[in-house]
Amino acid sequence: MVVRRDSAVGEQGPSGAKKTAKKTNASASRAAAERTPPETEPATGRSASAGGKSTPATRKPAPARKAAEAAASPKSPKPAASPKPAQPAKTARTAKPESPTALVRRARRINRELAEVYPYAHPELDFENPFQLIVATVLSAQTTDLRVNQTTPALFAKYPTPEDLAAADPEEVEEILRPCGFFRAKTKSVTGLSKALVENHKGEVPGRLEDLVKLPGVGRKTAFVVLGNAFGRPGITVDTHFQRLVRRWKWTEETDPDKIEAAVGSLFPKSEWTMLSHHVIFHGRRICHARKPACGACPIAPLCPAYGEGETDPEKAKKLLKYEKGGFPGQRLKPPQSYLDAGGIPAPPLGAAG
């Protein structure tokens, strides 16, 4: 019997066949590794070679690597930001409760400070006698004192006395008063006022409040202007500037002029009423304006509960001061002789220096 020999089995036997198979598999693995690019190990970032050694792999750029990591990892939601508390608007100071005694002290200190700033404050209407003052005050309604001062010289030159103005032709008076505005109504007031002075007071301006308020076109404000500046009798002039400032300063919450007069009058001695009115009105025309007060240039800012309603920057506030070359609008270049006789010193325009 012929026995057929299998070379693989006969020469090496079963164990030899296994070794041959292992070598063949190893050779195939090496060949495959040489044909394909090395793979990067995820943990080490090194490529595994057929021999088991690892070699450095090509790193991705940092931004790309971060983007890849961010894409692979789930995004964790950011915690919601807690809402910021609303900040109060920076306007006026918060008003604190003020006792009546503290109010009186603060109000009188404000008046003292203003007296130093405006040492010769006076009515800014030009006049030489009580008749001219009462007529000029009536004409100052709804216009400026500067405009009245530009108009009255021609009026008083033509009609120097109540008798002259009472007998004047209304059309001629209207033509003179046209620049003041509301010239027809004002003509009627000043001619009617002059007739009442001639008929009831012998052509003289009365020195009592109850008589003054009965004259055509004359109210309490005009009456106190005349009493305080022509007769030396104390009175509070509650004009638009006065009303605005005393409310800003929290001296009173009243809106009716008569009630404002009573409330403010209770804070000051009667002897100070006339000059108090001048100080407040001067300040309202020059610094504490209606629309945009110059808070940064105000000498009484530490005492004002409304500080911050206007411009607080000193340089910007200085530009808001109302003054012209030679003085403020309507301010005389020289103070009245009565003030000079009393030792008054003319004050330079605020903001003109420095």
Side-chain angles (χ1 to χ4, degrees):
M1 181 177 71
V2 179
V3 179
R4 189 176 178 178
R5 297 176 62 91
D6 189 335
S7 60
V9 177
E11 293 179 356
Q12 299 179 5
S15 59
K18 293 180 180 180
K19 292 180 180 180
T20 303
K22 289 181 179 180
K23 291 181 180 181
T24 303
N25 292 339
S27 299
S29 299
R30 285 197 297 271
E34 292 173 357
R35 288 193 303 270
T36 58
E39 296 180 357
T40 303
E41 295 179 0
T44 62
R46 302 176 70 88
S47 60
S49 64
K53 295 182 179 180
S54 60
T55 58
T58 304
R59 289 182 174 272
K60 296 181 181 180
R65 190 167 64 251
K66 290 181 179 179
E69 292 175 356
S73 61
K75 294 183 179 180
S76 57
K78 295 182 179 180
S82 57
K84 296 182 179 180
Q87 298 294 330
K90 186 180 180 181
T91 54
R93 293 168 176 165
T94 303
K96 296 180 180 179
E98 189 174 33
S99 67
T101 302
L103 173 59
V104 170
R105 290 175 178 173
R106 182 171 62 86
R108 295 185 180 184
R109 184 178 174 188
I110 287 176
N111 189 37
R112 290 195 299 270
E113 296 286 342
L114 294 180
E116 294 182 5
V117 177
Y118 314 109
Y120 75 104
H122 58 275
E124 296 183 270
L125 294 169
D126 293 334
F127 66 96
E128 295 178 357
N129 53 57
F131 171 66
Q132 291 186 0
L133 176 58
I134 195 171
V135 170
T137 306
V138 171
L139 295 178
S140 66
Q142 305 297 321
T143 189
T144 63
D145 289 354
L146 178 61
R147 177 64 65 186
V148 173
N149 291 338
Q150 293 171 346
T151 305
T152 51
L155 179 68
F156 295 142
K158 192 169 185 178
Y159 310 106
T161 66
E163 290 82 3
D164 296 327
L165 191 54
D169 182 354
E171 292 184 358
E172 294 180 1
V173 178
E174 288 178 0
E175 193 61 30
I176 296 174
L177 300 184
R178 186 179 294 271
C180 289
F182 303 96
F183 57 93
R184 291 189 178 89
K186 290 181 180 180
T187 296
K188 186 177 180 180
S189 295
V190 297
T191 55
L193 164 67
S194 300
K195 291 178 181 178
L197 292 177
V198 172
E199 295 173 0
N200 302 325
H201 302 283
K202 300 180 180 180
E204 298 292 334
V205 177
R208 299 194 310 166
L209 176 64
E210 54 270 26
D211 294 330
L212 286 170
V213 295
K214 293 178 182 178
L215 299 173
V218 177
R220 290 181 66 87
K221 183 195 81 170
T222 301
F224 281 125
V225 170
V226 174
L227 289 174
N229 298 283
F231 295 98
R233 297 177 182 175
I236 295 178
T237 304
V238 185
D239 71 347
T240 55
H241 301 288
F242 194 93
Q243 292 184 48
R244 179 177 72 254
L245 266 63
V246 298
R247 286 174 58 81
R248 276 182 178 169
W249 296 338
K250 304 299 181 184
W251 288 2
T252 180
E253 298 293 336
E254 300 291 348
T255 56
D256 180 75
D258 292 347
K259 294 181 179 180
I260 291 175
E261 175 194 328
V264 175
S266 66
L267 303 176
F268 296 89
K270 194 173 182 178
S271 59
E272 297 182 9
W273 286 359
T274 299
M275 288 308 299
L276 167 69
S277 301
H278 293 328
H279 296 155
V280 174
I281 294 171
F282 257 57
H283 191 64
R285 287 175 173 167
R286 290 152 178 78
I287 296 180
C288 198
H289 312 137
R291 295 186 178 179
K292 197 171 185 181
C295 294
C298 181
I300 60 167
L303 302 172
C304 180
Y307 174 82
E309 287 186 5
E311 181 58 62
T312 57
D313 181 81
E315 293 302 321
K316 294 180 180 179
K318 188 180 293 186
K319 297 178 181 179
L320 299 175
L321 300 178
K322 291 186 178 180
Y323 63 93
E324 297 174 347
K325 184 177 180 180
F328 296 100
Q331 181 181 4
R332 298 169 179 162
L333 300 183
K334 294 181 180 180
Q337 189 63 37
S338 59
Y339 285 89
L340 293 178
D341 293 342
I345 302 174
L350 289 178

